Every structure is written in structure tokens, then in C-alpha cells.
Amino acid sequence: MSPNSDSILSQELSRRTALKALFGAASAAVLFGLPARAHAAEASQETTDKLNAAQAQLDEVQAQLDSIANEYAALANKNAQTLNDIEGVQGQIDSTQAQIDEKKAELKKKRNDLSDRVAASYKSGGTNILSLLLASGSFEELVANAHYVEKVNKSDRDAIEDIQTIQEELDAQKTALESQKADLEKLKDQQTAQMQDMQAKQQEVQTVLSGLSEDVKELMAQRDSEILAAAQAEEAAKKAAAAAAAANKNNSYSGGSSSGGGSYAPGTPQQNAGSGKQQAVVNACYSTPSPGQNWCAAWVTNVFRNAGVGYFGGNACDMFNAWCYSSDRSALQVGMIVADSSHSGTGTPGLLYGHVGIYVGGGIVMSNEGAITSKSLDSFIGFYGTGSGVRWGWLGGIALS
């Protein structure tokens, strides 16, 4: 979500307070301009009770929505830690594999060296070793030279066995790390599924909340209308009584009249609507207009469709969970999406849906924040990385470079 999206959130969260204030000040708001006694007019008890009940339901559902947002944010933070753990384990796997490759090369060289020496000795008829033994001047020297030859061979065997042992240990270590990564991947999938379930639940609660908001507005309008009708009836009765008194006294008294006011219904917030491929995405970033506030993922979808890459739906959180795995700046490339799945900067919408933009190079990320903005990567991470953290990757898994 964009930083400006908190304006809609603020209107939604403050609606309960506004409705209560309006309910408490209904006479003054509706009967503005009516005579002094009009403030005694009231709505029917039935309408007042219905309005109070609807307001209580609205408060309860809003509290549920806030609770879901907080739970989602906590889960998104755990998911971010899981992604960090996966990256860390993968780094250990890569390092271990490099050591295994090194030991394999060393073992191969040792075996080749030993093979070459044996072959050379065979071709020369073993004269090297035989000459060493025959050159012994005494029995004691002969024993010493034979022991030396045995030691040389044992040293070769020991070196090969040591390398084989280290390689086996590294293989076992890699196997354990791959198992650990598999467990983390499974945990990540479980967390992602939980977040998707929570988003679905949030949509259900939001639908109920919107319906209750409409009910409250209708009941407020009905209440205001009843108050206005009662006040007008009271004023009419007052005028009739004054006219009758004037007629009886044959007096030309004329009571002043005044009217005005109207029902109040709070408004709803306006809903606004390298390679050739990399360059096409960058060009599309500058030519694709904003689809409206709160539609950061829709803008990204439009950019990639306009660039001829393909269509990829979903919200910012979906894109983050599906395609953004790296936080390594050296891996960031032009045309990658840059996203988070939950942040606190824009309130409940940000906690539930996160935000997504596109890296256009030069340390700049463009995104839809109601208007299309360009931010430095540091600035983008500083604002949107307050919860799940910011990561990047190729949208749809399609590498553009």
C-alpha cells in the first residue's frame, strides 16, 4: 500500500468516533436554523435503538479487523525470519559443496600421483626401490631403507584415507543442511497458506464492516429525518397556537418562521480507481499511469503487461510470497519487483497487503503510491521494510536479463 493509503484507513477507523459524535450532536447538526425550542424534538425509540445496536456491531467488527491485521503482521514477521533462515542455510550448502569439490579434486590428484609413481616403478622394473635396497652397506642400513619405503607408501595411503574421510563428513553435512532447508521450505509454505487464509478472512470481515457502515448511515439518515419532522411539527403547532391567539385578540401578531437543515450522512471515502525486456519494463514504468490509490500491485501488473512480458495477478503480498526471495543487493537487477508482505507505515492496509514496486536501475524503485513515485532503494526499504522486510525477485519467475 502507498503512504497516502492511510487517509482511507484513517477515515475507516475514525468512522466509529465520527458516528458517535454525530449521534450525540444530532439535534444541532440536523436542526441548524430552527427555532430555539426545536432541540426538544427526538427520533423514535425504535430508530434510536436500531442505530445503537448497529453502531455496537460496527465497533465489534472493526475490532475483529484490527485484530486480524495485527495477527497477520506477526505472522509476516515470522515468515520473513524463515526466508532469512532459508537464505542462510542455502549459503552453508553452497559453501559445503565448494569444500566437497575441493576435496574431490585433491583426492583425484593424490590418486593420480600414486598411480604415476607405481606405473613408473613398474616400467623401470622397480629399479628405484631395488637400487635403494641394494645400495645398503649393512643389514642395519637395509632394514632402515626398507622401513623408509614402507613409510612412504603408508603416508600416501593415510593421505588418501584422510581426504576420503573429510569428503564423507562434508557429504553428510550437506545432506543434513538440505534436510534443514526442506523443513524450512515446508514451514514457509505453511506460513504463506496461513497468511492467505487470514487475508480471505479479512475480506469477509471487511465486507461485513462495509455492510454495517451502510446500515449505520441509513439509520442515521432515518433518525435525522424523524428529528427534523418532529421539530417541524412542533414549530407548526407553535405557529398555529400563535395565530389562534392573535385571532382571538384581534391582534396582528405574526410569529417568525425559520426553516433549514437537512439530514447528515457521513460520506464514504472515494475509491480511486540491460536486456530488451528489461528496457521495455523500464519504459513501461514511465508510461503506465496509476490505476488509483491502494492499487500498487495492479500498477505492477499493468507495467509487465504493457512491456509484453505477461500477465501476473495478485496483491503485493502474493507477489512477495511467490517471487521475492533475495535480500542480497548484489543480486538486484533492473526489472525485478521489490516488495514486502507486511509493514506498519500505512496502518491496517499495509499490515495486511504490503507494497510492491519495480527496480528501474540507478538505485531507484518506482511504485504506485496513489501517484507513480521514484524512491531510492534505501528510502524504499526504510519505509516499507519495517515489518516483514523488503525482498526482490523476477515476477513470474521470468528472468529478463
Side-chain angles (χ1 to χ4, degrees):
M1 307 305 290
S2 71
N4 293 330
S5 64
D6 57 351
S7 60
I8 290 180
L9 173 66
S10 298
Q11 294 180 43
E12 186 66 32
L13 295 178
S14 63
R15 181 177 296 160
R16 292 172 294 164
T17 303
L19 293 177
K20 290 177 180 178
L22 286 168
F23 180 73
S27 298
V30 178
L31 303 177
F32 179 80
L34 291 179
R37 289 189 60 200
H39 71 276
E42 295 180 354
S44 67
Q45 188 61 46
E46 180 183 3
T47 299
T48 300
D49 290 344
K50 286 182 178 179
L51 178 57
N52 288 339
Q55 181 64 63
Q57 284 184 293
L58 184 67
D59 291 346
E60 181 179 351
V61 174
Q62 182 63 61
Q64 292 178 15
L65 188 62
D66 294 343
S67 176
I68 291 172
N70 291 329
E71 290 177 16
Y72 181 90
L75 186 57
N77 289 340
K78 292 180 180 178
N79 183 249
Q81 183 58 51
T82 301
L83 292 175
N84 288 334
D85 292 343
I86 290 173
E87 271 194 311
V89 172
Q90 184 60 56
Q92 294 180 56
I93 291 174
D94 295 341
S95 176
T96 302
Q97 184 59 55
Q99 295 179 59
I100 291 173
D101 293 341
E102 179 182 344
K103 289 301 177 182
K104 283 182 177 179
E106 188 177 341
L107 180 60
K108 182 178 180 181
K109 184 177 182 305
K110 275 286 185 183
R111 285 173 172 168
N112 288 341
D113 290 346
L114 182 57
S115 176
D116 290 343
R117 282 207 303 275
V118 171
S121 177
Y122 175 78
K123 289 177 181 178
S124 64
T127 56
N128 291 335
I129 298 176
L130 182 59
S131 297
L132 177 65
L133 297 177
L134 292 177
S136 303
S138 65
F139 179 76
E140 288 77 9
E141 188 176 349
L142 174 64
V143 172
N145 287 340
H147 181 70
Y148 171 75
V149 171
E150 181 185 352
K151 285 293 185 182
V152 170
N153 292 334
K154 186 177 186 302
S155 175
D156 286 334
R157 292 195 302 271
D158 289 346
I160 291 173
E161 289 176 359
D162 287 344
I163 294 172
Q164 287 176 325
T165 299
I166 293 173
Q167 182 182 334
E168 290 171 358
E169 291 174 351
L170 289 171
D171 286 336
Q173 181 180 341
K174 181 185 175 185
T175 300
L177 287 169
E178 288 175 339
S179 175
Q180 182 181 350
K181 182 185 177 185
D183 291 340
L184 288 169
E185 292 282 2
K186 186 182 298 183
L187 175 61
K188 175 183 74 70
D189 292 341
Q190 291 174 349
Q191 291 170 336
T192 300
Q194 286 178 315
M195 288 190 290
Q196 291 172 344
D197 290 343
M198 293 182 71
Q199 281 189 323
K201 183 178 180 181
Q202 182 272 339
Q203 291 287 357
E204 294 176 2
V205 175
Q206 183 65 61
T207 299
V208 174
L209 183 68
S210 299
L212 286 172
S213 297
E214 291 301 317
D215 291 344
V216 169
K217 286 190 292 184
E218 291 176 5
L219 286 168
M220 289 187 71
Q222 179 179 341
R223 180 207 59 192
D224 294 347
S225 178
E226 290 178 3
I227 293 175
L228 180 60
Q232 290 173 338
E234 182 179 319
E235 183 64 14
K238 176 183 175 182
K239 289 181 179 179
N248 290 337
K249 297 180 179 179
N250 197 21
N251 193 326
S252 62
Y253 172 79
S254 176
S257 67
S258 175
S259 64
S263 65
Y264 174 88
T268 58
Q270 181 180 0
Q271 297 296 326
N272 306 313
S275 68
K277 284 295 185 181
Q278 286 175 297
Q279 188 60 52
V281 169
V282 172
N283 293 342
C285 284
Y286 287 98
S287 62
T288 302
S290 167
Q293 189 169 323
N294 304 319
W295 296 95
C296 58
W299 177 77
V300 169
T301 295
N302 292 341
V303 167
F304 277 79
R305 181 169 52 191
N306 293 341
V309 177
Y311 175 85
F312 307 94
N315 55 40
C317 178
D318 296 329
M319 292 180 178
F320 175 90
N321 289 325
W323 312 117
C324 296
Y325 292 107
S326 179
S327 59
D328 180 3
R329 295 198 183 210
S330 66
L332 180 60
Q333 298 187 52
V334 172
M336 282 186 170
I337 59 171
V338 182
D340 71 283
S341 66
S342 178
H343 63 267
S344 59
T346 55
T348 298
L351 292 175
L352 287 168
Y353 298 111
H355 185 67
V356 62
I358 301 172
Y359 183 67
V360 296
I364 299 300
V365 179
M366 294 182 67
S367 67
N368 175 35
E369 299 180 341
I372 307 306
T373 62
S374 297
K375 281 185 167 63
S376 70
L377 180 62
D378 288 338
S379 176
F380 190 95
I381 292 175
F383 185 83
Y384 293 109
T386 55
S388 64
V390 171
R391 293 177 179 274
W392 37 84
W394 294 115
L395 182 61
I398 300 176
L400 304 181
S401 60

